[in-house]
Amino acid sequence: MTIPRDPAREAARRELSKGMYHENDPSLFQRALDAFWDWLDKLFGTAASATPGGAVGLFVVILFVVAVLAALWWRLGTPRRQPTSAAPLFDERTRSAAEHRAAGEAHAAQGHWNQAVQERMRAVIRSLEERALLDVRPGRTADEAAAEAGRALPAHADRLRAAAREFDDVTYGGRNADEQAYRRLAALDHDVENTRPSLAGSAVNAAHTARQGATE
């Protein structure tokens, strides 16, 4: 007696679905892992065939990309949130520009570049206050001070803004300063101290200060 084809196929399927035939089958995780490695192998195979030099060329390209990423990581450091200058530049203790400079030099001598940069930026702004180029305003931030100082000393406006960013980076952005950053600020401090203010800039700054006083 011949069993029809469809019932025979169904009977074979039921028989083979019994657990005794699948005791040594790979687990679901193993099958997924095998599928992933197969996909990865095909991906690299396709990339290697499209790269000059085949697999060796692909390996060189991967090494180059890794080297570039490592260089960027080393140069820029760990990505951090964008710094914001929300806190005032000065603390509650009032010190002269000379005192801030001395504190900056003391920190620099010990290699404490973050604190050295902070104190030298404070020296720059305090010096401008002592020369009456900026009004004395305790709540002023580094960015605000740099913007106002730039109007009085337009020749140094860009360097003042850069100094404020440097101050913000080490104070609020979690970045580390270095000796070069401190030397730039020290040079700016020296140049600002020996620069005569722009008369037009001083007039604009005075008007801006007057408007602020009126609104307050």
Short mmCIF file of all heavy atoms in Angstrom, two decimals, residues 67-129:
data_model
loop_
_atom_site.label_atom_id
_atom_site.label_comp_id
_atom_site.label_asym_id
_atom_site.label_seq_id
_atom_site.Cartn_x
_atom_site.Cartn_y
_atom_site.Cartn_z
N ALA A 67 43.70 55.36 14.13
CA ALA A 67 44.77 56.30 14.49
C ALA A 67 44.25 57.74 14.50
O ALA A 67 44.59 58.53 15.38
CB ALA A 67 45.93 56.16 13.52
N VAL A 68 43.41 58.09 13.51
CA VAL A 68 42.85 59.44 13.45
C VAL A 68 41.95 59.70 14.66
O VAL A 68 42.02 60.75 15.31
CB VAL A 68 42.06 59.65 12.14
CG1 VAL A 68 41.26 60.95 12.20
CG2 VAL A 68 43.01 59.68 10.96
N LEU A 69 41.09 58.72 15.00
CA LEU A 69 40.21 58.87 16.15
C LEU A 69 41.00 59.00 17.45
O LEU A 69 40.67 59.80 18.33
CB LEU A 69 39.25 57.69 16.24
CG LEU A 69 38.19 57.59 15.12
CD1 LEU A 69 37.38 56.32 15.26
CD2 LEU A 69 37.28 58.82 15.15
N ALA A 70 42.07 58.20 17.57
CA ALA A 70 42.91 58.27 18.77
C ALA A 70 43.59 59.63 18.88
O ALA A 70 43.70 60.21 19.96
CB ALA A 70 43.95 57.16 18.74
N ALA A 71 44.05 60.16 17.74
CA ALA A 71 44.70 61.46 17.74
C ALA A 71 43.71 62.57 18.14
O ALA A 71 44.06 63.48 18.91
CB ALA A 71 45.29 61.77 16.36
N LEU A 72 42.48 62.49 17.62
CA LEU A 72 41.47 63.48 17.99
C LEU A 72 41.13 63.39 19.46
O LEU A 72 40.95 64.40 20.14
CB LEU A 72 40.21 63.27 17.13
CG LEU A 72 40.33 63.66 15.66
CD1 LEU A 72 39.08 63.26 14.90
CD2 LEU A 72 40.57 65.17 15.53
N TRP A 73 41.01 62.15 19.97
CA TRP A 73 40.71 61.96 21.39
C TRP A 73 41.82 62.54 22.26
O TRP A 73 41.56 63.20 23.26
CB TRP A 73 40.53 60.48 21.66
CG TRP A 73 39.98 60.19 23.04
CD1 TRP A 73 40.65 60.14 24.22
CD2 TRP A 73 38.61 59.93 23.36
NE1 TRP A 73 39.81 59.85 25.25
CE2 TRP A 73 38.56 59.71 24.77
CE3 TRP A 73 37.44 59.83 22.61
CZ2 TRP A 73 37.36 59.43 25.42
CZ3 TRP A 73 36.27 59.54 23.27
CH2 TRP A 73 36.24 59.34 24.65
N TRP A 74 43.06 62.29 21.86
CA TRP A 74 44.21 62.79 22.64
C TRP A 74 44.28 64.31 22.59
O TRP A 74 44.57 64.97 23.58
CB TRP A 74 45.49 62.20 22.09
CG TRP A 74 46.73 62.73 22.77
CD1 TRP A 74 47.27 62.32 23.95
CD2 TRP A 74 47.58 63.79 22.30
NE1 TRP A 74 48.40 63.05 24.25
CE2 TRP A 74 48.61 63.96 23.26
CE3 TRP A 74 47.56 64.61 21.17
CZ2 TRP A 74 49.61 64.91 23.11
CZ3 TRP A 74 48.56 65.56 21.03
CH2 TRP A 74 49.57 65.70 21.98
N ARG A 75 43.95 64.89 21.42
CA ARG A 75 44.06 66.35 21.25
C ARG A 75 42.91 67.07 21.94
O ARG A 75 43.11 68.09 22.60
CB ARG A 75 44.07 66.69 19.76
CG ARG A 75 44.12 68.19 19.47
CD ARG A 75 45.43 68.79 19.91
NE ARG A 75 45.50 70.21 19.67
CZ ARG A 75 45.03 71.14 20.49
NH1 ARG A 75 44.44 70.78 21.62
NH2 ARG A 75 45.14 72.42 20.20
N LEU A 76 41.70 66.55 21.81
CA LEU A 76 40.53 67.26 22.30
C LEU A 76 40.08 66.79 23.67
O LEU A 76 39.34 67.49 24.36
CB LEU A 76 39.36 67.09 21.31
CG LEU A 76 39.63 67.61 19.89
CD1 LEU A 76 38.43 67.32 19.00
CD2 LEU A 76 39.93 69.10 19.91
N GLY A 77 40.53 65.60 24.07
CA GLY A 77 40.12 65.08 25.38
C GLY A 77 38.72 64.49 25.32
O GLY A 77 38.06 64.44 24.27
N THR A 78 38.25 64.05 26.47
CA THR A 78 36.92 63.46 26.56
C THR A 78 35.87 64.52 26.29
O THR A 78 35.92 65.60 26.87
CB THR A 78 36.69 62.87 27.96
OG1 THR A 78 37.73 61.93 28.23
CG2 THR A 78 35.34 62.17 28.05
N PRO A 79 34.92 64.22 25.42
CA PRO A 79 33.89 65.22 25.16
C PRO A 79 33.15 65.58 26.45
O PRO A 79 32.77 64.72 27.22
CB PRO A 79 32.94 64.51 24.17
CG PRO A 79 33.78 63.45 23.56
CD PRO A 79 34.76 63.02 24.61
N ARG A 80 32.95 66.87 26.62
CA ARG A 80 32.25 67.34 27.82
C ARG A 80 31.15 68.30 27.40
O ARG A 80 31.10 68.77 26.29
CB ARG A 80 33.23 68.05 28.78
CG ARG A 80 34.36 67.14 29.23
CD ARG A 80 35.32 67.89 30.14
NE ARG A 80 36.49 67.09 30.46
CZ ARG A 80 36.57 66.22 31.45
NH1 ARG A 80 35.52 66.04 32.22
NH2 ARG A 80 37.66 65.52 31.68
N ARG A 81 30.32 68.60 28.34
CA ARG A 81 29.23 69.51 28.03
C ARG A 81 29.78 70.90 27.74
O ARG A 81 30.84 71.28 28.21
CB ARG A 81 28.22 69.56 29.20
CG ARG A 81 28.79 70.21 30.45
CD ARG A 81 27.75 70.26 31.55
NE ARG A 81 28.26 70.89 32.75
CZ ARG A 81 28.32 72.19 32.95
NH1 ARG A 81 27.91 73.01 32.01
NH2 ARG A 81 28.79 72.70 34.10
N GLN A 82 29.01 71.67 26.97
CA GLN A 82 29.42 73.02 26.63
C GLN A 82 29.48 73.88 27.89
O GLN A 82 28.51 73.98 28.63
CB GLN A 82 28.41 73.62 25.64
CG GLN A 82 28.78 74.98 25.12
CD GLN A 82 29.97 74.93 24.19
OE1 GLN A 82 30.27 73.88 23.64
NE2 GLN A 82 30.64 76.04 24.02
N PRO A 83 30.63 74.52 28.15
CA PRO A 83 30.71 75.33 29.36
C PRO A 83 29.83 76.57 29.27
O PRO A 83 29.67 77.15 28.21
CB PRO A 83 32.20 75.72 29.43
CG PRO A 83 32.66 75.66 28.02
CD PRO A 83 31.88 74.53 27.38
N THR A 84 29.28 76.98 30.37
CA THR A 84 28.50 78.21 30.43
C THR A 84 29.02 79.06 31.57
O THR A 84 29.27 78.57 32.67
CB THR A 84 27.01 77.90 30.68
OG1 THR A 84 26.88 77.12 31.88
CG2 THR A 84 26.41 77.12 29.52
N SER A 85 29.20 80.35 31.28
CA SER A 85 29.72 81.25 32.29
C SER A 85 28.55 81.84 33.06
O SER A 85 28.12 82.95 32.81
CB SER A 85 30.55 82.35 31.63
OG SER A 85 31.05 83.26 32.59
N ALA A 86 28.00 81.05 33.99
CA ALA A 86 26.85 81.49 34.75
C ALA A 86 27.24 82.08 36.10
O ALA A 86 26.45 82.77 36.72
CB ALA A 86 25.88 80.32 34.95
N ALA A 87 28.41 81.77 36.58
CA ALA A 87 28.85 82.24 37.89
C ALA A 87 29.72 83.49 37.73
O ALA A 87 30.33 83.70 36.68
CB ALA A 87 29.63 81.14 38.61
N PRO A 88 29.79 84.33 38.75
CA PRO A 88 30.60 85.54 38.65
C PRO A 88 32.08 85.25 38.54
O PRO A 88 32.56 84.21 39.00
CB PRO A 88 30.27 86.30 39.95
CG PRO A 88 29.76 85.25 40.89
CD PRO A 88 29.07 84.25 40.02
N LEU A 89 32.80 86.19 37.93
CA LEU A 89 34.24 86.04 37.73
C LEU A 89 34.99 86.07 39.06
O LEU A 89 35.92 85.29 39.28
CB LEU A 89 34.73 87.17 36.82
CG LEU A 89 36.23 87.28 36.56
CD1 LEU A 89 36.74 86.04 35.84
CD2 LEU A 89 36.52 88.53 35.74
N PHE A 90 34.60 86.96 39.95
CA PHE A 90 35.28 87.13 41.23
C PHE A 90 34.48 86.50 42.37
O PHE A 90 33.25 86.40 42.30
CB PHE A 90 35.49 88.62 41.54
CG PHE A 90 36.37 89.33 40.55
CD1 PHE A 90 35.83 90.15 39.58
CD2 PHE A 90 37.75 89.16 40.59
CE1 PHE A 90 36.64 90.80 38.66
CE2 PHE A 90 38.57 89.81 39.68
CZ PHE A 90 38.02 90.63 38.72
N ASP A 91 35.20 86.06 43.39
CA ASP A 91 34.52 85.58 44.58
C ASP A 91 34.24 86.77 45.51
O ASP A 91 34.41 87.92 45.15
CB ASP A 91 35.34 84.49 45.28
CG ASP A 91 36.76 84.96 45.60
OD1 ASP A 91 36.96 86.19 45.75
OD2 ASP A 91 37.65 84.10 45.71
N GLU A 92 33.80 86.48 46.72
CA GLU A 92 33.38 87.54 47.64
C GLU A 92 34.57 88.36 48.16
O GLU A 92 34.41 89.51 48.57
CB GLU A 92 32.60 86.94 48.81
CG GLU A 92 31.28 86.30 48.38
CD GLU A 92 30.53 85.71 49.55
OE1 GLU A 92 31.08 85.75 50.68
OE2 GLU A 92 29.41 85.21 49.34
N ARG A 93 35.76 87.76 48.15
CA ARG A 93 36.92 88.48 48.67
C ARG A 93 37.46 89.42 47.60
O ARG A 93 37.73 89.02 46.47
CB ARG A 93 38.01 87.48 49.07
CG ARG A 93 39.29 88.13 49.57
CD ARG A 93 40.37 87.09 49.79
NE ARG A 93 41.65 87.73 50.11
CZ ARG A 93 42.80 87.07 50.18
NH1 ARG A 93 42.84 85.77 49.96
NH2 ARG A 93 43.92 87.71 50.47
N THR A 94 37.59 90.69 47.96
CA THR A 94 38.09 91.69 47.02
C THR A 94 39.61 91.76 47.09
O THR A 94 40.19 92.01 48.16
CB THR A 94 37.51 93.07 47.34
OG1 THR A 94 36.08 93.01 47.27
CG2 THR A 94 38.02 94.10 46.34
N ARG A 95 40.26 91.52 45.92
CA ARG A 95 41.72 91.59 45.85
C ARG A 95 42.13 92.47 44.68
O ARG A 95 41.39 92.61 43.71
CB ARG A 95 42.32 90.19 45.70
CG ARG A 95 42.24 89.35 46.96
CD ARG A 95 42.88 88.00 46.77
NE ARG A 95 42.08 87.14 45.90
CZ ARG A 95 42.44 85.92 45.52
NH1 ARG A 95 43.62 85.43 45.91
NH2 ARG A 95 41.66 85.20 44.76
N SER A 96 43.30 93.04 44.77
CA SER A 96 43.79 93.92 43.71
C SER A 96 44.31 93.10 42.54
O SER A 96 44.51 91.87 42.65
CB SER A 96 44.92 94.81 44.25
OG SER A 96 46.05 93.99 44.57
N ALA A 97 44.53 93.79 41.41
CA ALA A 97 45.10 93.11 40.24
C ALA A 97 46.46 92.52 40.58
O ALA A 97 46.79 91.40 40.16
CB ALA A 97 45.21 94.09 39.08
N ALA A 98 47.27 93.26 41.35
CA ALA A 98 48.60 92.77 41.73
C ALA A 98 48.50 91.49 42.56
O ALA A 98 49.30 90.57 42.40
CB ALA A 98 49.35 93.85 42.50
N GLU A 99 47.49 91.44 43.43
CA GLU A 99 47.32 90.25 44.26
C GLU A 99 46.90 89.05 43.40
O GLU A 99 47.37 87.92 43.62
CB GLU A 99 46.29 90.52 45.36
CG GLU A 99 46.80 91.44 46.45
CD GLU A 99 45.72 91.79 47.46
OE1 GLU A 99 44.58 92.10 47.03
OE2 GLU A 99 46.01 91.74 48.67
N HIS A 100 46.02 89.28 42.43
CA HIS A 100 45.61 88.19 41.53
C HIS A 100 46.80 87.73 40.69
O HIS A 100 46.97 86.52 40.45
CB HIS A 100 44.47 88.65 40.63
CG HIS A 100 43.13 88.70 41.32
ND1 HIS A 100 42.53 87.58 41.85
CD2 HIS A 100 42.30 89.74 41.55
CE1 HIS A 100 41.37 87.93 42.38
NE2 HIS A 100 41.20 89.22 42.21
N ARG A 101 47.63 88.66 40.24
CA ARG A 101 48.82 88.27 39.47
C ARG A 101 49.76 87.43 40.33
O ARG A 101 50.30 86.42 39.85
CB ARG A 101 49.57 89.52 38.98
CG ARG A 101 48.89 90.24 37.85
CD ARG A 101 49.79 91.30 37.24
NE ARG A 101 49.01 92.16 36.37
CZ ARG A 101 48.55 93.36 36.73
NH1 ARG A 101 48.83 93.84 37.94
NH2 ARG A 101 47.83 94.07 35.90
N ALA A 102 49.97 87.86 41.54
CA ALA A 102 50.88 87.12 42.42
C ALA A 102 50.33 85.72 42.68
O ALA A 102 51.09 84.73 42.69
CB ALA A 102 51.06 87.88 43.74
N ALA A 103 49.02 85.61 42.87
CA ALA A 103 48.41 84.29 43.08
C ALA A 103 48.56 83.42 41.83
O ALA A 103 48.85 82.22 41.91
CB ALA A 103 46.94 84.44 43.45
N GLY A 104 48.39 84.05 40.65
CA GLY A 104 48.55 83.30 39.41
C GLY A 104 49.97 82.79 39.23
O GLY A 104 50.19 81.64 38.84
N GLU A 105 50.95 83.63 39.53
CA GLU A 105 52.34 83.22 39.42
C GLU A 105 52.68 82.10 40.41
O GLU A 105 53.44 81.18 40.10
CB GLU A 105 53.26 84.43 39.66
CG GLU A 105 53.30 85.42 38.51
CD GLU A 105 53.90 84.81 37.25
OE1 GLU A 105 54.87 84.04 37.34
OE2 GLU A 105 53.37 85.10 36.16
N ALA A 106 52.12 82.20 41.61
CA ALA A 106 52.37 81.16 42.61
C ALA A 106 51.80 79.81 42.15
O ALA A 106 52.46 78.77 42.29
CB ALA A 106 51.75 81.56 43.95
N HIS A 107 50.60 79.84 41.59
CA HIS A 107 50.01 78.59 41.07
C HIS A 107 50.83 78.06 39.89
O HIS A 107 51.05 76.85 39.75
CB HIS A 107 48.57 78.83 40.65
CG HIS A 107 47.60 78.93 41.79
ND1 HIS A 107 47.44 77.92 42.72
CD2 HIS A 107 46.73 79.92 42.15
CE1 HIS A 107 46.52 78.28 43.61
NE2 HIS A 107 46.08 79.49 43.29
N ALA A 108 51.27 78.96 39.01
CA ALA A 108 52.05 78.55 37.85
C ALA A 108 53.36 77.90 38.27
O ALA A 108 53.82 76.93 37.66
CB ALA A 108 52.32 79.75 36.94
N ALA A 109 53.99 78.45 39.31
CA ALA A 109 55.26 77.90 39.79
C ALA A 109 55.10 76.46 40.28
O ALA A 109 56.04 75.66 40.24
CB ALA A 109 55.81 78.77 40.92
N GLN A 110 53.88 76.12 40.72
CA GLN A 110 53.62 74.76 41.20
C GLN A 110 52.99 73.87 40.12
O GLN A 110 52.66 72.71 40.38
CB GLN A 110 52.68 74.81 42.41
CG GLN A 110 53.25 75.58 43.60
CD GLN A 110 52.25 75.67 44.75
OE1 GLN A 110 51.79 74.65 45.27
NE2 GLN A 110 51.90 76.88 45.13
N GLY A 111 52.80 74.44 38.92
CA GLY A 111 52.20 73.66 37.83
C GLY A 111 50.71 73.51 37.97
O GLY A 111 50.12 72.64 37.31
N HIS A 112 50.06 74.35 38.77
CA HIS A 112 48.61 74.32 38.92
C HIS A 112 48.00 75.26 37.88
O HIS A 112 47.61 76.39 38.19
CB HIS A 112 48.20 74.73 40.34
CG HIS A 112 48.77 73.87 41.40
ND1 HIS A 112 48.85 74.25 42.73
CD2 HIS A 112 49.27 72.60 41.36
CE1 HIS A 112 49.40 73.28 43.45
NE2 HIS A 112 49.66 72.27 42.63
N TRP A 113 47.93 74.80 36.63
CA TRP A 113 47.61 75.69 35.52
C TRP A 113 46.17 76.15 35.53
O TRP A 113 45.87 77.28 35.08
CB TRP A 113 47.97 75.01 34.21
CG TRP A 113 49.42 74.65 34.13
CD1 TRP A 113 49.96 73.40 34.05
CD2 TRP A 113 50.54 75.55 34.18
NE1 TRP A 113 51.33 73.46 34.04
CE2 TRP A 113 51.71 74.77 34.12
CE3 TRP A 113 50.66 76.93 34.27
CZ2 TRP A 113 52.98 75.34 34.13
CZ3 TRP A 113 51.92 77.51 34.30
CH2 TRP A 113 53.07 76.71 34.23
N ASN A 114 45.24 75.33 35.99
CA ASN A 114 43.84 75.77 36.04
C ASN A 114 43.69 77.00 36.93
O ASN A 114 43.12 78.02 36.54
CB ASN A 114 42.94 74.65 36.56
CG ASN A 114 42.68 73.60 35.51
OD1 ASN A 114 43.28 73.60 34.45
ND2 ASN A 114 41.77 72.69 35.80
N GLN A 115 44.22 76.89 38.16
CA GLN A 115 44.12 78.00 39.09
C GLN A 115 44.93 79.21 38.60
O GLN A 115 44.52 80.36 38.79
CB GLN A 115 44.61 77.59 40.47
CG GLN A 115 43.76 76.52 41.14
CD GLN A 115 44.23 75.10 40.81
OE1 GLN A 115 44.79 74.87 39.74
NE2 GLN A 115 43.99 74.18 41.73
N ALA A 116 46.06 78.95 37.95
CA ALA A 116 46.89 80.04 37.43
C ALA A 116 46.13 80.83 36.36
O ALA A 116 46.15 82.06 36.34
CB ALA A 116 48.19 79.48 36.86
N VAL A 117 45.44 80.11 35.47
CA VAL A 117 44.65 80.76 34.42
C VAL A 117 43.52 81.58 35.03
O VAL A 117 43.25 82.72 34.63
CB VAL A 117 44.11 79.71 33.43
CG1 VAL A 117 42.94 80.27 32.61
CG2 VAL A 117 45.22 79.23 32.50
N GLN A 118 42.84 81.00 36.01
CA GLN A 118 41.74 81.72 36.64
C GLN A 118 42.21 83.03 37.28
O GLN A 118 41.61 84.09 37.09
CB GLN A 118 41.09 80.82 37.70
CG GLN A 118 40.32 79.64 37.11
CD GLN A 118 39.92 78.64 38.18
OE1 GLN A 118 40.63 78.43 39.17
NE2 GLN A 118 38.76 78.02 38.00
N GLU A 119 43.31 82.95 38.04
CA GLU A 119 43.79 84.15 38.73
C GLU A 119 44.30 85.20 37.74
O GLU A 119 44.12 86.40 37.95
CB GLU A 119 44.90 83.77 39.72
CG GLU A 119 44.41 82.99 40.93
CD GLU A 119 43.41 83.78 41.76
OE1 GLU A 119 43.48 85.02 41.79
OE2 GLU A 119 42.54 83.14 42.40
N ARG A 120 44.91 84.76 36.65
CA ARG A 120 45.44 85.75 35.69
C ARG A 120 44.30 86.43 34.95
O ARG A 120 44.38 87.63 34.62
CB ARG A 120 46.39 85.06 34.71
CG ARG A 120 47.39 86.02 34.09
CD ARG A 120 48.34 86.57 35.15
NE ARG A 120 49.16 87.66 34.66
CZ ARG A 120 50.48 87.72 34.84
NH1 ARG A 120 51.10 86.78 35.50
NH2 ARG A 120 51.15 88.76 34.38
N MET A 121 43.23 85.70 34.66
CA MET A 121 42.07 86.34 34.03
C MET A 121 41.46 87.37 34.98
O MET A 121 41.07 88.47 34.57
CB MET A 121 41.03 85.28 33.66
CG MET A 121 39.77 85.84 33.00
SD MET A 121 40.15 86.65 31.42
CE MET A 121 38.54 87.30 30.98
N ARG A 122 41.39 87.03 36.25
CA ARG A 122 40.88 87.99 37.24
C ARG A 122 41.79 89.22 37.32
O ARG A 122 41.31 90.35 37.49
CB ARG A 122 40.76 87.31 38.60
CG ARG A 122 39.65 86.27 38.64
CD ARG A 122 39.69 85.42 39.89
NE ARG A 122 38.60 84.45 39.89
CZ ARG A 122 38.69 83.20 40.34
NH1 ARG A 122 39.86 82.77 40.85
NH2 ARG A 122 37.67 82.39 40.30
N ALA A 123 43.10 89.00 37.20
CA ALA A 123 44.03 90.13 37.22
C ALA A 123 43.78 91.07 36.05
O ALA A 123 43.82 92.30 36.20
CB ALA A 123 45.47 89.61 37.19
N VAL A 124 43.51 90.51 34.87
CA VAL A 124 43.25 91.33 33.69
C VAL A 124 42.04 92.24 33.93
O VAL A 124 42.08 93.45 33.70
CB VAL A 124 43.01 90.44 32.45
CG1 VAL A 124 42.50 91.27 31.28
CG2 VAL A 124 44.28 89.70 32.06
N ILE A 125 40.95 91.64 34.40
CA ILE A 125 39.72 92.41 34.58
C ILE A 125 39.84 93.39 35.74
O ILE A 125 39.39 94.54 35.66
CB ILE A 125 38.52 91.47 34.78
CG1 ILE A 125 38.39 90.51 33.57
CG2 ILE A 125 37.24 92.25 34.98
CD1 ILE A 125 38.32 91.21 32.23
N ARG A 126 40.47 92.95 36.83
CA ARG A 126 40.63 93.86 37.97
C ARG A 126 41.49 95.06 37.59
O ARG A 126 41.23 96.20 38.02
CB ARG A 126 41.27 93.12 39.14
CG ARG A 126 41.39 93.96 40.39
CD ARG A 126 40.01 94.30 40.97
NE ARG A 126 39.49 93.15 41.72
CZ ARG A 126 38.19 92.95 41.96
NH1 ARG A 126 37.30 93.79 41.49
NH2 ARG A 126 37.80 91.90 42.65
N SER A 127 42.51 94.82 36.76
CA SER A 127 43.36 95.93 36.30
C SER A 127 42.54 96.95 35.53
O SER A 127 42.72 98.16 35.69
CB SER A 127 44.49 95.37 35.42
OG SER A 127 45.23 96.41 34.84
N LEU A 128 41.62 96.48 34.69
CA LEU A 128 40.78 97.39 33.93
C LEU A 128 39.82 98.16 34.85
O LEU A 128 39.52 99.33 34.59
CB LEU A 128 39.99 96.61 32.87
CG LEU A 128 40.84 95.99 31.75
CD1 LEU A 128 40.00 95.08 30.89
CD2 LEU A 128 41.49 97.08 30.91
N GLU A 129 39.37 97.51 35.89
CA GLU A 129 38.52 98.20 36.86
C GLU A 129 39.31 99.28 37.60
O GLU A 129 38.81 100.38 37.84
CB GLU A 129 37.92 97.19 37.85
CG GLU A 129 36.89 96.26 37.23
CD GLU A 129 36.37 95.22 38.21
OE1 GLU A 129 36.95 95.10 39.32
OE2 GLU A 129 35.38 94.54 37.88
#
